Every structure is written in structure tokens, then in C-alpha cells.
Amino acid sequence: MTSPVRQLFGTDGIRGVAGEYPLDPHTVFAIGRALGTRLAERQTHPRVLIGQDTRESSDWISRALARGLMSAKCEVSSAGVITTPGVAYLTRTHGFAAGIVISASHNPWADNGIKVFGANGYKLSDEIEHAIEAEIFAHLEQLAEGASETADSISAMLPGEQKLREQYAEWLAEFVCDSDFSKLHVLVDCANGAASTIAPLVFQQCGVSADFLHIEPTGRNINAGCGALHPEHVAQQIAAAPAGKYDLGITFDGDADRAMFSDATGRVVNGDAVLLLAARDMKTHVLLHNDTVVATTMSNMGLEAALKRSGIQMLRAPVGDKYVLEQMLKTGATLGGEQSGHILFRDMDTTTGDGILTALRVLEVMARTAKPLAELVADMKVFPQEIKNVRVREKTPLEQLPEVMLAIRAAESELDGNGRVVVRYSGTEKLARVMIEAESETAMRRHTDAIAEEIRKAIGE
């Protein structure tokens, strides 16, 4: 059964340009009131936690959202600048009715977003988001008819409760408290985002010797030429450093729910390779349920082949860590993730991807085995893969674009099982993503360009 079509929620909450619909003050207030009303129907004076990233718009969006929640008789607490998984953890461990993150993750600073976690720390299902969406539109109509947006005054959400951030950092550090990281030295890029307040605290508690980059957010420099979108920058710095200075490079995105890496030679290592490393380690320690890993349609065929050689099967879920998690919960899998660096560990008490936790797990394997990252993933032969983004006016179903479908079928016919074609719309931006994997780079680029060109002709901006 297909999920109902939604107008506000994408694959990772509500996202857009800050100050413009649906992230204008009026609509943000309505979102808070709609969510608060829903929560208040289920319990008296529900408590809601809000956390945010470092964008200059995050504070006013937090305050507008809080006003809406308070107008529905919710009690609002703030964790200030904190990672998305930090809010998920604190929500489920401190008895909050919901946790909300103000962040647009890897998007540019001018964008922002609203992500909601339930009391159990999981992102909301599509069905619940659809129901909340209907309530948001109803509240918008009421406000348009003259209902007041005023509520009790609320002070600025920043800096939030330091003790909440410290509790989350301590929880992360506990997972690797028995590991000896004294021989490892890492270079960490915090993307001028939420990790800037958390990662230094965690690495210090774990005894990891680390140098940090991009930990001075200005409100407008989040993800700007740094972080998980640009892991090659840390890789280049490691390659240029004196031999042996760094054992690992780590890069987080704006809300630190994912991480990308560089090995000691300056080679970028993505989420596929991390899944391989973690799967083998978990299988060795009998932590990999049913010897199964959940990846996505974007994961490289080389990962699937390498896992198979280790006696591990790989399932594919739609792109989006919430869909990976749904498949994991359905199958009982204890490991899943995305090529982009969202990794979910279900052998421990987690409900969403956590970039800092992923980094600690990678460091733990390196420390325990005394092997460099490059050696741990050396046998994964990556099929040539290209992903091309095409900015579009609208997200017309591909089946309604005949020339695009002809180009897709031509690619699939020529590859004939020795490659993959994935064409999909971004869940958070007006983009069509064309991904081709093939044994031949020439064929890969030719088909990628052909499909992208047909999309541009049909619906390109």
C-alpha cells in the first residue's frame, strides 16, 4: 500500500529556505501548535525537547516553534546546539513526549528544517507525519481567520541546558570506555555545525588525541566547503601532513548524524566501506543478527560482493536513514546504513544514525585489531559509479516523462545486469539524482549524461 502524498514532510522532516514557506514564522508557529495539540491529546502538559544546529535562523525558528507548542500547553526545554542523534537520545531517556531538531543537515546555511522524534527516540512514520500535516493546515486556516499567535513570552532558546549535552557526550563515551586509543591520532572536521559543541567533549572523554577543524560557526559557514559533503579536504590535509601524523580523518555533516572518513594515506572512505568494516567485526563477535546488513539502492555493488565473500547478505532499502531503519526493524538486522555515512547500529541502544558514534566504532575496530583503516577495507572492489544531480522545476513522476524513461531503459539494456541504474528525486531538495554503476567508466558516464540531459530538457530549471 502506498503512503499518502504529503506536502510538507520530506524524507527527513520539513525543509526549505528559512523565512520562506513553510519555514516562515507564521507557519512554524502553526507547526508547533499542531504538534503540541496532538501531544496534549495524549497526556497532560507534555514535555518537548528542542535542539538546533548553528544556522543563524535556527534560534528564531526554535522560538517560533516553542511559542506554538506552549500555546497548546506543552512544556518546552532546550538542549541548545546539539546533534540530531543527541536529541533522539535525550528524548527517549528523559521522558520527553517528543524531541525536535531545527536543522537542515548538509544543506547550505540559508536553508533550515524541522525534524521530529517520538517519545521512543524514533523518527515519525510517514503516516503520522501525514496526520500531523493535516492538523498543521487546519491551524494555518484558524490563524488566517484571526486566531492569535501570542503566547507566554519565551526567552532565547540558546544556549540551552549544558547538562543535557554533557549527558549525551558521557553516554557516547561509555560505549568505548574499555578501548585504548592512545596510539591513534585523528583529524576531525566538525563542518562548523552541531558537532562543534559535542565532538571535542566526546573525544576528550574517550582519550582520543584529536585536532579539530571548522569548529567556529558564524551562523553562515555551516557545511561551507567543509564537513561530510567535502571529505576530500580532510583527506588532502592528511596526505600533505608528515607521514604517520594522522591515523584517521573524520568529517561530520551539519547535524552530525553521519560521518565520512579518510585513511592514513589521504584516501576518502565512505559509508559503504564503513558498513563492510563494521559488518565483519560484528559477525566475528556474534553481534550481526542473521548475518545481514541493510544498505540502500545507492550502495555500490562492490559492497554487496565483499559482504557476500564474508558470508553476509545485503538487503537494499529506499534512500533515507528512516527507511533503512524500518527495514532493519522488520528483519531484525543489527547493522544498516547509507553510502553517505548514515550508519545505524542496532546492537546497542540507538534509534537513529549518529556520526560521532560511527567514528568511535571505527576507531574501536582500528584500536582492537591494530590495523589501519585502509587494510580493513582493502578488498572491496568499487564499481565505477557516478551520481549526477539535476535541479528541477517540479518532481514529475518519471513514468510520465517518456524521453527520460527511454534513456533509462537504454542504459539498463546495455548494462544487462553488469551495473545498476538508479534515478530518483531528492527527498529534501528540488533535485533529480542520476546514479549509474558499470564496469566500464565510459559507459557509466555516457548513460549518466544521457539520462541527466533528458531530465534537464523535460523539467530542468
Side-chain angles (χ1 to χ4, degrees), residues 168-180:
Y168 168 58
E170 289 167 4
W171 174 74
L172 285 173
E174 283 175 7
F175 284 122
V176 292
C177 61
D178 295 330
S179 299
D180 180 7

Side-chain angles (χ1 to χ4, degrees), residues 184-187 209 211 237-238 241-248 264:
L184 297 175
H185 190 195
V186 301
L187 182 63
S209 174
D211 294 333
Q237 293 211 34
I238 288 178
K245 180 174 182 180
Y246 295 111
D247 299 285
L248 185 70

Side-chain angles (χ1 to χ4, degrees), residues 28-37 39-40 46 48-50 62-77 98 100 151 157:
V28 171
F29 177 86
I31 292 168
R33 178 178 278 186
L35 179 60
T37 300
L39 294 172
V48 179
L49 177 68
I50 296 180
S62 295
R63 284 184 276 115
L65 192 72
R67 283 195 297 271
L69 288 161
M70 291 168 64
S71 74
K73 308 303 181 187
C74 290
E75 178 185 328
V76 179
S77 298
I100 304 175
M157 300 300 289

Side-chain angles (χ1 to χ4, degrees), residues 384-404:
Q385 182 187 84
E386 183 173 34
I387 300 174
K388 184 162 282 192
N389 294 327
V390 182
R391 192 155 291 281
V392 297
R393 300 187 302 273
E394 57 192 5
K395 297 180 181 179
T396 305
L398 296 171
E399 296 77 13
Q400 296 177 20
L401 304 173
E403 297 303 317
V404 172

